[in-house]
Amino acid sequence: MEKKVKIKINGKEFEVDSEKSILQAARENGIYIPAICYSDRFGAIGACRICAVEIAGMKKPMLSCAAKVKDGMEVTTNSPALDQLRREIIYEWDTFHPLQCGVCDKSGECELQNINYEFNITENPKEAQTDPLSIPQGTIHYEWKIIHHDANLCIQCRRCVAVCDKVVNFGILALVKKDGDRKEIDTKDGKPLDCEFCGQCVSVCPTGAMSSKLFKYKARAWEMEKVPTTCGFCSSGCQMDLNVKNNEILRVTSEEYTPNMANLCNLGRFNYSVSKSDRLIKDYSLNSKTLNQEAMLLELSQILKNTPKEKIFGISGARETHEDNLAFKMFFNNTLSNNNIDSLSSTHIGKLYKYLPQSVNTLYDFSDISDANLIICFGGDIANEMPRIDWSITRGAKLLKTSKVISAYWKDTKIDTLGSIPLRYEPGRELDFLTSFAFALKSEGYGAGLDGLDSLTGSEFDVSSIMEEVKKASNIAFIVCQEALERSNGEEIAKAVSNIALLLKDKIKVYASSKYNNAFGALYNNYGSSNEFSIQRLLEFAKEGKIETLILLNADLFSFLSDNEAKIVRDSVKNIVLFDTFESKTSLIANAIVPVPFFTSQSGTFINAEGRVNKINKAIECNVPCAWEFLFKLSTNLGYNLSSAKLQLKDKKITLNGPADKIYTINTNSSVKGDGEFVFIANYSKFRTSVYSGYGEGAKLAQSQSVLHISKEDAQRIGLNDGDIANIEANGASIALPVKIDEQMPKSVLAAQLWFENTNPYNITGGFNNLVRANLTKAQGGLK
Amino acid sequence: MLFKDLRKGLSVTLKYLFTHAVTCQYPTQRLNVPERGRWLHALNLHEESQKIKCIDCGLCEEVCPSKCIEIIPTENEDHTKSPAIYNIDLGRCCFCGLCVEVCPELAISMSDKYELAGYDREKFVFTKEDLIKVGIEYNNKLQKKEGAL
Ligand code: SF4
Ligand code: SF4
Ligand code: SF4
Ligand code: SF4
Ligand code: SF4
Ligand code: FES
């Protein structure tokens, strides 16, 4: 329980939480104390000293951001002495600070400007005493990618260092010694910045010292309109503001009061130029002929009328708005009166929520992760899948220190730097960990009285190292990564996770990760509920000639199937109708193409992994109607009036339906495809959530192509160096990828990232699978 | 009665017809306008480098009450900033001179050119190039005048 204490600030008494700092207590009660380096995002740094206050009984002023409140404390936030102290600090910052507000991108929202203004500083006695020639020239890092650092503008508040370390958990920045006793912000190793390129450092910098190269000189801070919206790149649902001028997004910002606390990843913050990509689909077209909307509606109506209703199928990409997603479902269920429809959610989270019992399938806020005593992250590299969950874990383990972390995966990842208990299984052996864990829980007496407990059996896998923590914890966050669920035995994995959830029923909160921003919305709309058709059976249905017309809503066939499989679908289906925003390999082979606006050009909602119904707002005009509008018109043409349908959700948060409590029997005999020497895994990059996410500058600059991660040992044995091209061959197919030696890779394991244009890893794993045994050779003659 | 008034009026007219003119004989004659008058804008160049002084700080754009200034910035090779496009729509400008007053770089000033009528709205939009030309002409004129003194 939180304890309350009484303190006096400037003579007024307040009752505040005893855990709070003086600064927090003052802010809560509307009392202003200047503070530059403090932020709720990473806590106190104690670098700027401007937040100093006087406390009765103390000789020296204390830093209000760091000092906690105590009962009976008497605080004075302003006095002539404090004013003088603060002025001295500002003088120091100002001394030969380049007078370049006129061109500095920070101008207008610069905290150094603000504080000078606030203290009405018009002259600087310090500067008068300093020899201008003694002022060293700070480094300007023109050579860094995406981020621009000008040490001359830096006031050394170390906010960037703190955010990179305590929020992003990347920790590449430091205040390092340069010649003399001068210090500058730089990378720890002095090499050009090579990091997550999330721009958190840019977002916290009080001055123009850390800035975005993509925004450099684009506009002044006051010229842009901020349109609040939800990021459309993953199911974290980060809240952000599109900064718009002249119908163009010039940058993306976020505010500290958002649930994501102003944190955004590379895609959210820097990838906005996707919205003006030259690969946007602008026209309606039928067999490469451009049509206007009316003609397209007529042609499509004709196609659909000519197809027997039971031979029309639909796939949703789970990336469109909730409204489009629901309209698409209704179009099938009502207009076409069939349920031949599924979404890409079914490749991962759909499996989990099919089995997860109702009593444990609640969708929880990410902030609860930071408050959990124990966080178990299973089955993937969460930082690459959903950065916001990664920040929540980091916040709990590193900043608040409330949480312990267990990472169950085949590789050491970033969260293992949080002092986690590592559980390493071989890739493909996820079930070993899950069943052993369930068995150990049962043996400890968890789930007593549940039916079917007897069917739980363990495996060789040793989970004893974590049982102590599990028993101690009263509040466990269990995170299931997309990589595990996308395995070919993902359904069994889902069942095994469900068992664990049920055994730990009262103290577990299950989270699932998805790179598809509206994947949870598709589940909510009951995609994947057909008993006959599912996305996994797309190929089979196509081959059997059951599909005559296939309608794809933001679903790029080549992003979840191998090229070959996609071709088979193409050849077996008479009409492929694609509703999409961007050109893709699918748009090249579709018969009919209907453009739909990007999320920056429409209003609606996305449902994120917390189950929150998040609003998106139109920021730029694009003259393309939403998919639901088009579908409604199409429906009318087909003789069914959908226009009275209610698409908008009133609720702020959704719940999902799940089965009754049940312990599942797990089939552990999964066979891995292929017979090569290596295990190859297709997983994710934090810089892509789809192929089209690579059409933006931020993502492209951060990572331009898919690379093959390989252990040093294996690379040496085969004679591969960084950048060499390797051929990976399995199932009679092969892909070529540049090599990246990765010290964290286990022996005999290879991994490459999905959704890059240089290769399609599904070509060797096959669709609906992400793991295969493969052979590796060095490509002859370098680049192919 | 009637003729008496007419005669009086005509005599005044005739008197002025033969005395010399008191108004300026525009357009054959043009008045020198006061130096601090607010007429057509000029964009100034650095004397030595002949580079534009404007750094696109955006202040004139912001302060302009009729919102007739439009600047699109660009980054130069030496990482400095200058306007790629600088337009003033004189069809909207109210010649308040606030842009001149606010400019921290003395990049924009006002010349003595006041003949701004036109047949076409589009022609009222003066571009960076137009305004630089005005600046060069006006500054030359000022220099000549200074030299003459
Ligand atoms: S950092 Fe702030 S004070 Fe410094 S030049 Fe930029 S806007 Fe001006
Ligand atoms: S961009 Fe992100 S990872 Fe890179 S230095 Fe900044 S905060 Fe750290
Ligand atoms: S770069 Fe910015 S955030 Fe980092 S220390 Fe300097 S002023 Fe502070
Ligand atoms: S991609 Fe995901 S984590 Fe990144 S900003 Fe967007 S919603 Fe947030
Ligand atoms: S105020 Fe001066 S320097 Fe600033 S944009 Fe206008 S003309 Fe350029
Ligand atoms: S805010 Fe307290 S030291 Fe900077």
Side-chain angles (χ1 to χ4, degrees), chain A residues 101-105 142 148 213 216-220 222-223 245-246, chain B residues 55-59 61-62 70-75 78-81:
Chain A
C101 299
V103 292
C104 182
D105 285 328
Y142 295 115
H148 179 78
K213 280 186 140 174
K216 194 176 184 197
Y217 297 163
K218 284 272 157 46
R220 319 281 12 229
W222 55 84
E223 293 172 348
K245 186 187 165 188
N246 296 338
Chain B
I55 54 170
D56 181 23
C57 68
L59 292 182
E61 209 175 352
E62 179 65 15
E70 186 201 7
I71 313 176
I72 295 177
T74 182
E75 184 176 358
D78 58 356
H79 303 291
T80 55
K81 184 184 182 188

Side-chain angles (χ1 to χ4, degrees), chain A residues 231-238 240 263-269 386-388 391 689:
Chain A
C231 173
F233 285 112
C234 89
S235 67
S236 296
C238 295
M240 59 195 206
N263 295 318
L264 295 173
C265 78
N266 169 276
L267 293 174
R269 196 184 305 280
M386 270 173 71
R388 195 168 151 203
W391 308 323
T689 55

Side-chain angles (χ1 to χ4, degrees), chain B residues 7 19 61 90 143:
Chain B
R7 210 177 55 227
T19 51
E61 209 175 352
L90 290 167
Q143 256 166 21

Side-chain angles (χ1 to χ4, degrees), chain A residues 432-623:
Chain A
D432 289 0
F433 155 66
L434 294 172
T435 53
S436 276
F437 188 28
F439 187 70
L441 288 172
K442 179 185 85 170
S443 316
E444 293 285 349
Y446 287 99
L450 279 173
D451 278 345
L453 275 188
D454 295 339
S455 68
L456 293 179
T457 47
S459 75
E460 305 273 278
F461 194 84
D462 184 12
V463 292
S464 59
S465 61
I466 66 166
M467 290 313 289
E468 220 31 63
E469 291 295 339
V470 173
K471 274 190 277 175
K472 253 190 356 213
S474 59
N475 181 356
I476 302 176
F478 193 94
I479 297 153
V480 187
C481 290
Q482 186 173 348
E483 181 186 326
L485 291 172
E486 296 251 7
R487 294 266 193 269
S488 56
N489 63 344
E491 296 232 357
E492 296 306 312
I493 290 173
K495 287 182 199 162
V497 169
S498 297
N499 285 349
I500 292 169
L502 207 51
L503 290 168
L504 289 169
K505 190 167 175 175
D506 300 322
K507 56 180 193 176
I508 195 169
K509 290 178 179 165
V510 180
Y511 296 83
S513 115
S514 174
K515 297 285 253 182
Y516 299 85
N517 56 297
N518 195 35
F520 287 82
L523 287 191
Y524 179 73
N525 288 336
N526 275 320
Y527 278 77
S529 61
S530 159
N531 291 327
E532 279 120 51
F533 177 68
S534 71
I535 191 164
Q536 281 87 355
R537 306 187 68 183
L538 176 64
L539 206 59
E540 174 194 328
F541 271 54
K543 279 191 206 158
E544 287 169 5
K546 288 185 179 156
I547 308 178
E548 191 174 314
T549 298
L550 177 64
I551 311 180
L552 303 167
L553 177 61
N554 293 303
D556 171 7
L557 293 173
F558 295 83
S559 75
F560 60 95
L561 296 174
S562 71
D563 294 358
N564 220 358
E565 289 163 336
K567 262 178 223 125
I568 294 174
V569 172
R570 164 65 283 185
D571 295 342
S572 344
V573 172
K574 187 164 159 215
N575 310 300
I576 294 183
V577 180
L578 175 70
F579 287 70
D580 215 338
T581 312
F582 298 98
E583 290 167 6
S584 62
K585 284 201 217 159
T586 305
S587 74
L588 293 177
I589 57 164
N591 303 85
I593 297 174
V594 179
V596 292
F598 195 41
F599 81 94
T600 53
S601 295
Q602 59 178 318
S603 297
T605 48
F606 289 144
I607 298 174
N608 79 342
E610 303 170 301
R612 284 188 194 234
V613 181
N614 288 320
K615 270 197 137 70
I616 60 164
N617 293 303
K618 184 191 233 169
I620 48 176
E621 219 37 78
C622 76
N623 298 321

Side-chain angles (χ1 to χ4, degrees), chain A residues 281-322:
Chain A
I281 298 176
K282 297 204 175 75
D283 300 315
Y284 296 89
S285 70
L286 183 70
N287 299 323
S288 310
K289 262 209 328 278
T290 302
L291 301 177
N292 63 19
Q293 200 197 124
E294 282 78 68
M296 191 67 184
L297 276 166
L298 286 179
E299 295 281 356
L300 273 186
S301 314
Q302 214 44 55
I303 290 178
L304 293 174
K305 276 182 196 154
N306 291 344
T307 316
K309 282 184 176 169
E310 70 282 0
K311 296 190 104 180
I312 306 176
F313 287 74
I315 304 280
S316 136
R319 292 200 165 99
E320 62 284 350
T321 59
H322 163 74

Side-chain angles (χ1 to χ4, degrees), chain A residues 388-457:
Chain A
R388 195 168 151 203
I389 294 190
D390 177 44
W391 308 323
S392 304
I393 298 174
T394 306
R395 188 169 171 85
K398 204 166 187 173
L399 189 71
L400 306 177
K401 302 199 163 64
T402 38
S403 333
K404 275 238 155 210
V405 180
I406 294 171
S407 84
Y409 191 41
W410 52 266
K411 181 187 179 189
D412 291 348
T413 59
K414 200 173 68 174
I415 57 170
D416 289 297
T417 61
L418 297 169
S420 76
I421 307 175
L423 285 180
R424 293 289 164 268
Y425 51 77
E426 278 172 39
R429 310 295 305 177
E430 287 77 16
L431 284 174
D432 289 0
F433 155 66
L434 294 172
T435 53
S436 276
F437 188 28
F439 187 70
L441 288 172
K442 179 185 85 170
S443 316
E444 293 285 349
Y446 287 99
L450 279 173
D451 278 345
L453 275 188
D454 295 339
S455 68
L456 293 179
T457 47

